mmCIF file of all heavy atoms in Angstrom:
data_model
loop_
_atom_site.group_PDB
_atom_site.id
_atom_site.type_symbol
_atom_site.label_atom_id
_atom_site.label_comp_id
_atom_site.label_asym_id
_atom_site.label_seq_id
_atom_site.Cartn_x
_atom_site.Cartn_y
_atom_site.Cartn_z
ATOM 1 N N VAL A 1 41.745 65.514 132.424
ATOM 2 C CA VAL A 1 40.676 65.613 131.429
ATOM 3 C C VAL A 1 40.894 66.838 130.535
ATOM 4 O O VAL A 1 40.704 66.772 129.319
ATOM 5 C CB VAL A 1 39.290 65.645 132.116
ATOM 6 C CG1 VAL A 1 38.194 66.002 131.143
ATOM 7 C CG2 VAL A 1 38.997 64.296 132.764
ATOM 8 N N ALA A 2 41.308 67.945 131.115
ATOM 9 C CA ALA A 2 41.571 69.159 130.339
ATOM 10 C C ALA A 2 42.787 68.982 129.436
ATOM 11 O O ALA A 2 42.872 69.588 128.363
ATOM 12 C CB ALA A 2 41.787 70.340 131.270
ATOM 13 N N PHE A 3 43.722 68.128 129.842
ATOM 14 C CA PHE A 3 44.945 67.931 129.063
ATOM 15 C C PHE A 3 44.689 67.180 127.759
ATOM 16 O O PHE A 3 45.376 67.422 126.766
ATOM 17 C CB PHE A 3 45.987 67.175 129.895
ATOM 18 C CG PHE A 3 47.220 66.826 129.108
ATOM 19 C CD1 PHE A 3 48.167 67.795 128.833
ATOM 20 C CD2 PHE A 3 47.409 65.555 128.625
ATOM 21 C CE1 PHE A 3 49.299 67.489 128.097
ATOM 22 C CE2 PHE A 3 48.537 65.235 127.890
ATOM 23 C CZ PHE A 3 49.483 66.210 127.616
ATOM 24 N N LEU A 4 43.722 66.292 127.750
ATOM 25 C CA LEU A 4 43.499 65.466 126.562
ATOM 26 C C LEU A 4 43.249 66.292 125.301
ATOM 27 O O LEU A 4 43.980 66.130 124.316
ATOM 28 C CB LEU A 4 42.371 64.462 126.805
ATOM 29 C CG LEU A 4 42.690 63.381 127.846
ATOM 30 C CD1 LEU A 4 41.457 62.523 128.110
ATOM 31 C CD2 LEU A 4 43.844 62.512 127.388
ATOM 32 N N PRO A 5 42.270 67.203 125.268
ATOM 33 C CA PRO A 5 42.101 67.986 124.040
ATOM 34 C C PRO A 5 43.257 68.953 123.789
ATOM 35 O O PRO A 5 43.669 69.161 122.648
ATOM 36 C CB PRO A 5 40.789 68.743 124.264
ATOM 37 C CG PRO A 5 40.547 68.715 125.726
ATOM 38 C CD PRO A 5 41.225 67.480 126.252
ATOM 39 N N THR A 6 43.799 69.520 124.864
ATOM 40 C CA THR A 6 44.921 70.445 124.713
ATOM 41 C C THR A 6 46.125 69.741 124.097
ATOM 42 O O THR A 6 46.761 70.250 123.172
ATOM 43 C CB THR A 6 45.316 71.041 126.080
ATOM 44 O OG1 THR A 6 44.166 71.619 126.677
ATOM 45 C CG2 THR A 6 46.397 72.079 125.940
ATOM 46 N N GLY A 7 46.436 68.560 124.624
ATOM 47 C CA GLY A 7 47.570 67.789 124.109
ATOM 48 C C GLY A 7 47.352 67.334 122.671
ATOM 49 O O GLY A 7 48.276 67.352 121.855
ATOM 50 N N ALA A 8 46.126 66.944 122.349
ATOM 51 C CA ALA A 8 45.825 66.501 120.984
ATOM 52 C C ALA A 8 46.004 67.644 119.983
ATOM 53 O O ALA A 8 46.605 67.460 118.911
ATOM 54 C CB ALA A 8 44.408 65.944 120.918
ATOM 55 N N VAL A 9 45.522 68.823 120.345
ATOM 56 C CA VAL A 9 45.673 69.983 119.458
ATOM 57 C C VAL A 9 47.145 70.357 119.320
ATOM 58 O O VAL A 9 47.636 70.614 118.215
ATOM 59 C CB VAL A 9 44.845 71.184 119.975
ATOM 60 C CG1 VAL A 9 45.186 72.456 119.215
ATOM 61 C CG2 VAL A 9 43.359 70.874 119.865
ATOM 62 N N ALA A 10 47.862 70.368 120.437
ATOM 63 C CA ALA A 10 49.293 70.717 120.391
ATOM 64 C C ALA A 10 50.070 69.723 119.536
ATOM 65 O O ALA A 10 50.921 70.120 118.733
ATOM 66 C CB ALA A 10 49.862 70.758 121.803
ATOM 67 N N LEU A 11 49.774 68.435 119.681
ATOM 68 C CA LEU A 11 50.457 67.429 118.863
ATOM 69 C C LEU A 11 50.154 67.640 117.388
ATOM 70 O O LEU A 11 51.055 67.560 116.546
ATOM 71 C CB LEU A 11 50.044 66.015 119.306
ATOM 72 C CG LEU A 11 50.710 64.864 118.555
ATOM 73 C CD1 LEU A 11 52.226 64.910 118.707
ATOM 74 C CD2 LEU A 11 50.159 63.531 119.050
ATOM 75 N N GLY A 12 48.890 67.947 117.079
ATOM 76 C CA GLY A 12 48.525 68.215 115.677
ATOM 77 C C GLY A 12 49.286 69.394 115.096
ATOM 78 O O GLY A 12 49.773 69.339 113.969
ATOM 79 N N VAL A 13 49.407 70.460 115.884
ATOM 80 C CA VAL A 13 50.141 71.647 115.428
ATOM 81 C C VAL A 13 51.615 71.317 115.219
ATOM 82 O O VAL A 13 52.218 71.705 114.212
ATOM 83 C CB VAL A 13 49.982 72.813 116.433
ATOM 84 C CG1 VAL A 13 50.941 73.954 116.122
ATOM 85 C CG2 VAL A 13 48.541 73.299 116.440
ATOM 86 N N HIS A 14 52.205 70.559 116.146
ATOM 87 C CA HIS A 14 53.621 70.211 116.012
ATOM 88 C C HIS A 14 53.865 69.282 114.817
ATOM 89 O O HIS A 14 54.883 69.405 114.131
ATOM 90 C CB HIS A 14 54.141 69.563 117.301
ATOM 91 C CG HIS A 14 54.256 70.530 118.445
ATOM 92 N ND1 HIS A 14 54.815 71.770 118.329
ATOM 93 C CD2 HIS A 14 53.880 70.420 119.745
ATOM 94 C CE1 HIS A 14 54.792 72.397 119.482
ATOM 95 N NE2 HIS A 14 54.214 71.598 120.362
ATOM 96 N N ILE A 15 52.933 68.373 114.556
ATOM 97 C CA ILE A 15 53.068 67.498 113.376
ATOM 98 C C ILE A 15 52.958 68.330 112.103
ATOM 99 O O ILE A 15 53.742 68.166 111.163
ATOM 100 C CB ILE A 15 52.009 66.373 113.413
ATOM 101 C CG1 ILE A 15 52.358 65.369 114.513
ATOM 102 C CG2 ILE A 15 51.910 65.674 112.060
ATOM 103 C CD1 ILE A 15 51.294 64.317 114.763
ATOM 104 N N LYS A 16 51.995 69.247 112.075
ATOM 105 C CA LYS A 16 51.808 70.122 110.907
ATOM 106 C C LYS A 16 53.064 70.953 110.632
ATOM 107 O O LYS A 16 53.440 71.172 109.488
ATOM 108 C CB LYS A 16 50.612 71.039 111.148
ATOM 109 C CG LYS A 16 50.331 71.999 110.014
ATOM 110 C CD LYS A 16 49.175 72.915 110.353
ATOM 111 C CE LYS A 16 49.054 73.991 109.301
ATOM 112 N NZ LYS A 16 48.151 75.048 109.707
ATOM 113 N N ASN A 17 53.713 71.414 111.696
ATOM 114 C CA ASN A 17 54.929 72.225 111.553
ATOM 115 C C ASN A 17 56.190 71.381 111.410
ATOM 116 O O ASN A 17 57.290 71.915 111.462
ATOM 117 C CB ASN A 17 55.056 73.172 112.744
ATOM 118 C CG ASN A 17 53.986 74.237 112.741
ATOM 119 O OD1 ASN A 17 53.509 74.640 111.687
ATOM 120 N ND2 ASN A 17 53.591 74.692 113.911
ATOM 121 N N LYS A 18 55.998 70.076 111.231
ATOM 122 C CA LYS A 18 57.109 69.127 111.028
ATOM 123 C C LYS A 18 58.124 69.163 112.177
ATOM 124 O O LYS A 18 59.328 69.075 111.970
ATOM 125 C CB LYS A 18 57.786 69.376 109.695
ATOM 126 C CG LYS A 18 56.847 69.171 108.509
ATOM 127 C CD LYS A 18 57.561 69.331 107.203
ATOM 128 C CE LYS A 18 56.742 69.190 105.978
ATOM 129 N NZ LYS A 18 55.399 68.877 105.949
ATOM 130 N N LEU A 19 57.604 69.291 113.407
ATOM 131 C CA LEU A 19 58.452 69.294 114.588
ATOM 132 C C LEU A 19 58.456 67.943 115.293
ATOM 133 O O LEU A 19 59.060 67.802 116.350
ATOM 134 C CB LEU A 19 57.992 70.390 115.558
ATOM 135 C CG LEU A 19 58.078 71.819 115.024
ATOM 136 C CD1 LEU A 19 57.408 72.797 115.986
ATOM 137 C CD2 LEU A 19 59.519 72.212 114.778
ATOM 138 N N VAL A 20 57.770 66.963 114.715
ATOM 139 C CA VAL A 20 57.668 65.639 115.312
ATOM 140 C C VAL A 20 58.250 64.624 114.338
ATOM 141 O O VAL A 20 57.898 64.605 113.159
ATOM 142 C CB VAL A 20 56.192 65.281 115.617
ATOM 143 C CG1 VAL A 20 56.076 63.866 116.155
ATOM 144 C CG2 VAL A 20 55.598 66.275 116.595
ATOM 145 N N VAL A 21 59.165 63.799 114.824
ATOM 146 C CA VAL A 21 59.720 62.717 114.024
ATOM 147 C C VAL A 21 58.763 61.535 114.173
ATOM 148 O O VAL A 21 58.788 60.815 115.175
ATOM 149 C CB VAL A 21 61.150 62.345 114.499
ATOM 150 C CG1 VAL A 21 61.729 61.242 113.633
ATOM 151 C CG2 VAL A 21 62.040 63.574 114.488
ATOM 152 N N LEU A 22 57.882 61.361 113.189
ATOM 153 C CA LEU A 22 56.770 60.418 113.304
ATOM 154 C C LEU A 22 57.202 58.969 113.503
ATOM 155 O O LEU A 22 56.545 58.224 114.225
ATOM 156 C CB LEU A 22 55.857 60.527 112.084
ATOM 157 C CG LEU A 22 55.053 61.816 112.008
ATOM 158 C CD1 LEU A 22 54.287 61.902 110.697
ATOM 159 C CD2 LEU A 22 54.088 61.919 113.174
ATOM 160 N N ASP A 23 58.310 58.563 112.892
ATOM 161 C CA ASP A 23 58.726 57.156 113.036
ATOM 162 C C ASP A 23 59.254 56.840 114.437
ATOM 163 O O ASP A 23 59.401 55.685 114.795
ATOM 164 C CB ASP A 23 59.743 56.772 111.963
ATOM 165 C CG ASP A 23 61.016 57.597 112.015
ATOM 166 O OD1 ASP A 23 60.965 58.727 112.521
ATOM 167 O OD2 ASP A 23 62.053 57.111 111.526
ATOM 168 N N LYS A 24 59.490 57.858 115.255
ATOM 169 C CA LYS A 24 59.985 57.622 116.613
ATOM 170 C C LYS A 24 58.938 57.936 117.684
ATOM 171 O O LYS A 24 59.185 57.736 118.868
ATOM 172 C CB LYS A 24 61.244 58.443 116.859
ATOM 173 C CG LYS A 24 62.361 58.012 115.927
ATOM 174 C CD LYS A 24 63.654 58.670 116.223
ATOM 175 C CE LYS A 24 64.663 58.140 115.218
ATOM 176 N NZ LYS A 24 65.953 58.662 115.381
ATOM 177 N N VAL A 25 57.781 58.416 117.264
ATOM 178 C CA VAL A 25 56.745 58.812 118.219
ATOM 179 C C VAL A 25 56.252 57.626 119.039
ATOM 180 O O VAL A 25 56.048 57.736 120.245
ATOM 181 C CB VAL A 25 55.571 59.506 117.488
ATOM 182 C CG1 VAL A 25 54.344 59.594 118.357
ATOM 183 C CG2 VAL A 25 55.991 60.884 117.038
ATOM 184 N N LEU A 26 56.062 56.474 118.408
ATOM 185 C CA LEU A 26 55.543 55.309 119.131
ATOM 186 C C LEU A 26 56.457 54.878 120.268
ATOM 187 O O LEU A 26 55.987 54.407 121.291
ATOM 188 C CB LEU A 26 55.300 54.140 118.177
ATOM 189 C CG LEU A 26 54.073 54.271 117.278
ATOM 190 C CD1 LEU A 26 53.958 53.063 116.362
ATOM 191 C CD2 LEU A 26 52.818 54.453 118.088
ATOM 192 N N PHE A 27 57.757 55.049 120.084
ATOM 193 C CA PHE A 27 58.698 54.676 121.142
ATOM 194 C C PHE A 27 58.552 55.569 122.367
ATOM 195 O O PHE A 27 58.968 55.210 123.464
ATOM 196 C CB PHE A 27 60.144 54.720 120.634
ATOM 197 C CG PHE A 27 60.441 53.676 119.606
ATOM 198 C CD1 PHE A 27 60.663 54.027 118.284
ATOM 199 C CD2 PHE A 27 60.470 52.337 119.950
ATOM 200 C CE1 PHE A 27 60.931 53.067 117.331
ATOM 201 C CE2 PHE A 27 60.731 51.364 119.007
ATOM 202 C CZ PHE A 27 60.959 51.727 117.695
#
């Protein structure tokens, strides 16, 4: 339960910093 908001915020930060290849995330 604690991981859900933490993970969501971390993913948002990584997307903002262009550290996530969005077209491959679904895989």
Side-chain angles (χ1 to χ4, degrees):
V1 169
F3 175 77
L4 293 174
T6 306
V9 170
L11 181 60
V13 169
H14 289 314
I15 289 172
K16 179 183 172 192
N17 292 330
K18 298 184 182 357
L19 298 172
V20 176
V21 182
L22 290 174
D23 61 335
K24 297 186 180 181
V25 165
L26 286 179
F27 293 110

